[in-house]
Amino acid sequence: MSKARFEFRWEDQFNLALDPDTAREFHDETLPAEGAKSAHFCSMCGPHFCSMKISDDVRQYAESHGYNEEEALQKGMEEMAETFVQKGAEVYLQA
């Protein structure tokens, strides 16, 4: 099930559940759109905070830059630190 979850294969996840119909119903209560069945995030954290999506983004970043995952994490942290400083090094930004 974890591989299906990590790859955002929602139908496989539903089918592997103890009660697939209830699993689908719970999913559809919060993400009813048909496109949500292939979304790369769930309703628990949403698209901006999904740890599975962030992990996938890191893998894609590493692949596109020719880094291994450890190098990608380091480079990504360096880039985000630069962005943080450029924006004033404030944790909370004004909207």
Side-chain angles (χ1 to χ4, degrees), residues 8 10-11 14 23-47 50:
F8 302 100
W10 291 104
E11 282 303 319
F14 299 147
R24 279 186 189 85
E25 287 174 20
F26 284 159
H27 179 271
D28 290 349
E29 280 180 18
T30 53
L31 293 171
E34 192 57 38
K37 304 259 189 325
S38 60
H40 282 217
F41 62 89
C42 69
S43 63
M44 185 169 67
C45 300
C50 178

Side-chain angles (χ1 to χ4, degrees), residues 37-87:
K37 304 259 189 325
S38 60
H40 282 217
F41 62 89
C42 69
S43 63
M44 185 169 67
C45 300
H48 302 293
F49 300 105
C50 178
S51 64
M52 301 302 278
K53 182 183 182 315
I54 292 168
S55 295
D56 189 49
D57 290 346
V58 169
R59 276 189 203 76
Q60 289 180 23
Y61 176 88
E63 186 178 317
S64 70
H65 288 81
Y67 301 138
N68 64 36
E69 285 185 38
E70 189 67 32
E71 291 170 323
L73 288 171
Q74 184 63 38
K75 296 291 186 184
M77 290 297 290
E78 290 170 7
E79 287 178 18
M80 291 306 290
E82 278 182 41
T83 300
F84 177 72
V85 170
Q86 288 171 358
K87 290 186 174 188

